[in-house]
Amino acid sequence: MTIAGLAKAGGVGVETVRYYQRRGLLETPERAGSVGSGGVRRYGEADVRRLQFIRTAQAAGFTLEQISELLALDATDDRPRARELAQERIAELDARIAELQAARSALARLAHDCAEGSSGPCPIISAFEHASDKPARPT
């Protein structure tokens, strides 16, 4: 298949495929045909599987650097390192979940406070106005 076919099979754009090639995540096959003929590059099912792996790993929150390492680990069968990368990602997700739960709890309290009163400033709006007076939290 052509690069357009590969991109379609992987659910990405052609430029994304090229970007992954530049990053070394996907191979760039030789052009088919004689030298200087401007032949077309052809991709196979292995390329589709690799592209799908990249996309799935990204959806799990791995960075492209981590994905590159995972792909390299596949060739060495280094399960302990792959597991370590997964555990690091789980810890990052747990921290993000805790942040989201805290934000949800705070917003639920504000919504409750807003429903309790009918006069004066809205607690939701007041909280956001006063939050802008504080320095931003580092992420």
Side-chain angles (χ1 to χ4, degrees):
M1 72 185 79
T2 64
I3 193 170
L6 174 63
K8 184 176 180 180
V12 299
V14 169
E15 287 305 313
T16 300
V17 172
R18 289 186 178 126
Y19 178 72
Y20 292 160
Q21 288 172 329
R22 287 191 303 274
R23 295 288 305 258
L25 298 170
L26 286 173
E27 296 292 323
T28 304
E30 295 297 321
R31 295 186 184 274
S34 60
V35 176
S37 68
V40 177
R41 298 182 197 278
R42 295 290 175 185
Y43 300 86
E45 287 304 313
D47 299 304
V48 173
R49 284 191 302 275
R50 190 163 180 128
L51 180 55
Q52 289 171 337
F53 174 89
I54 294 166
R55 300 292 293 153
T56 303
Q58 280 185 310
F62 286 99
T63 65
L64 292 180
E65 290 79 18
Q66 291 168 326
I67 293 168
S68 179
E69 185 174 355
L70 285 170
L71 289 166
L73 289 173
D74 184 43
T76 64
D77 199 29
D78 187 351
R79 285 182 167 203
R81 179 60 184 144
R83 190 170 42 257
E84 182 181 331
L85 283 171
Q87 289 168 336
E88 288 172 6
R89 184 64 197 132
I90 290 167
E92 292 167 4
L93 288 170
D94 287 343
R96 183 70 178 131
I97 288 168
E99 288 176 12
L100 290 170
Q101 287 173 330
R104 186 191 184 288
S105 294
L107 189 54
R109 279 192 308 276
L110 289 171
H112 177 267
D113 293 348
C114 182
E116 290 293 309
S118 59
S119 64
C122 172
I124 297 169
I125 296 171
S126 294
F128 292 148
E129 286 175 344
H130 296 297
S132 66
D133 296 339
K134 298 177 187 175
R137 263 187 22 206
T139 56

